[in-house]
Amino acid sequence: MQAWPAFLRVASKGVYAGGGSIAEGGQGCKRLAGRVAGGFRCRKDKPEIRLAANVGTRSSQPSCGHVAKSMGTNMKLLFSRNPNPRLAVATARHLKAEIAFEYASPMAPGQAERYRALNPNLTLPILVGPGWSLWEADAIACRLSRETHSDFWRGGQDEPDMIRWISWGKERFAFACDMVHFERGTKQRYGLGPIDHALVEEGLRQFHAAAAILEPELAGRDWLVGNSVSYADFRMATFLPFNDAARLPLDDYPSIRRWYGRLEAIDAWRDPFQGLQAPPLAPVKVEA
């Protein structure tokens, strides 16, 4: 069998909008080890880092627990329309964070060196501030929640419960959604080969196993943690906005369906890109 299983873990979040290379899947580049990915070769060597013009100065990972003085629009979120950047944009807009937004394609031809100093993985999203950058959607959500003094990223006694759902969701529910979405969505969107129906079946098996655990948890409550929406809900639902392509059977799980309906009622989740300049994703080509 072709070595898609390792690649599929990252590629559905890693194909840059408007092209065909890996923009968020540094892991995928490592595993492909120099093979051409979607048209552009992933490099294993590390060319000299040059500072990114107009988007930051140096790459560092400030603690999400450190709340700097209000930076206002001195912060900028670099994003695309793919799942993890979408999650970060939805989070920022839900929090009404006073930041700027900039569409980015780190792995587009000629763009890598501009972004390498901000994130050596060349993945999105990236939050940029004066003299620092922060990558990974979860870290960005933590930072923005602290900056806005919001409990969207739970603290205190609720924080372990929230982290439990973030961790479990990424390893189980969202992971299964990603497997199916990659085969039915990403590969067809970017011409990465035919659907591997065996992998779709495995992804659906894992989806049903995870959904069977999530369904009773949501049967008696509106949200995963406490009485209001939290980042755990956003993270769990990372791939569901792309279900028109994945065609996951959400209707088999009425509590999950109702929970996702509540998320869809949140403007920032339903349409995080409203008013932003962001090229649309390429259409999914229906497999013959």
Side-chain angles (χ1 to χ4, degrees):
M1 179 182 295
Q2 190 178 8
W4 283 115
F7 187 29
L8 69 85
R9 305 298 189 240
V10 295
S12 64
K13 63 183 180 181
V15 177
Y16 82 94
S21 77
I22 303 306
E24 301 172 60
Q27 216 173 357
C29 287
K30 291 176 184 175
R31 287 175 177 169
L32 283 171
R35 289 172 51 196
V36 173
F40 301 109
R41 184 171 296 277
C42 297
R43 296 177 56 92
K44 294 183 69 178
D45 57 313
K46 296 180 179 179
E48 179 184 358
I49 293 177
R50 292 194 293 273
L51 300 182
N54 301 321
V55 290
T57 56
R58 63 181 175 85
S59 176
S60 61
Q61 290 284 49
S63 166
C64 75
H66 171 69
V67 181
K69 293 180 181 179
S70 177
M71 294 181 180
T73 54
N74 286 334
M75 288 191 291
K76 179 184 293 185
L77 183 62
L78 308 181
F79 73 95
S80 74
R81 285 183 178 265
N82 291 305
N84 273 332
R86 183 193 189 281
L87 172 64
V89 174
T91 295
R93 304 201 87 172
H94 178 67
L95 292 169
K96 296 180 172 59
E98 296 182 358
I99 64 174
F101 297 87
E102 182 179 301
Y103 178 82
S105 297
M107 288 294 288
Q111 292 298 304
E113 291 310 304
R114 183 186 180 202
Y115 296 99
R116 197 181 304 277
L118 302 176
N119 180 359
N121 302 288
L122 296 180
T123 62
L124 297 171
I126 308 170
L127 184 66
V128 180
W132 58 267
S133 63
L134 182 66
W135 33 274
E136 292 296 320
D138 297 350
I140 291 169
C142 177
R143 177 71 184 249
L144 292 179
S145 293
R146 305 260 177 136
E147 291 283 352
T148 57
H149 307 286
S150 170
D151 70 346
F152 184 64
W153 183 281
R154 296 290 198 264
Q157 294 297 318
D158 285 339
E159 189 171 33
D161 196 29
M162 184 198 67
I163 292 174
R164 180 262 301 266
W165 285 117
I166 292 173
S167 177
W168 180 88
K170 289 174 70 173
E171 292 297 320
R172 297 291 187 269
F173 186 79
F175 180 85
C177 296
D178 189 6
M179 286 186 69
V180 178
H181 173 259
F182 174 69
E183 291 297 325
R184 290 177 169 174
T186 301
K187 285 174 66 175
Q188 308 316 302
R189 194 186 302 278
Y190 295 106
L192 299 179
I195 294 172
D196 187 323
H197 295 285
L199 290 177
V200 170
E201 288 304 311
E202 174 59 18
L204 289 172
R205 184 191 69 77
Q206 294 194 33
F207 170 81
H208 285 296
I213 293 172
L214 190 58
E215 174 72 10
E217 293 285 344
L218 290 169
R221 50 179 162 165
D222 290 344
W223 306 108
L224 286 169
V225 182
N227 296 319
S228 61
V229 66
S230 74
Y231 181 68
D233 298 289
F234 274 34
R235 169 48 85 184
M236 190 74 70
T238 301
F239 290 91
L240 297 185
F242 303 87
N243 204 38
D244 56 337
R247 305 191 303 278
L248 294 161
L250 290 184
D251 289 338
D252 292 353
Y253 302 94
S255 296
I256 294 175
R257 169 59 77 183
R258 286 192 295 270
W259 162 77
Y260 190 64
R262 288 187 285 272
L263 278 175
E264 283 281 280
I266 298 172
D267 290 341
W269 179 262
R270 184 178 61 255
D271 187 9
F273 303 114
Q274 183 177 16
L276 300 183
Q277 293 186 357
L281 290 172
V284 174
K285 302 175 181 65
V286 178
E287 187 180 64

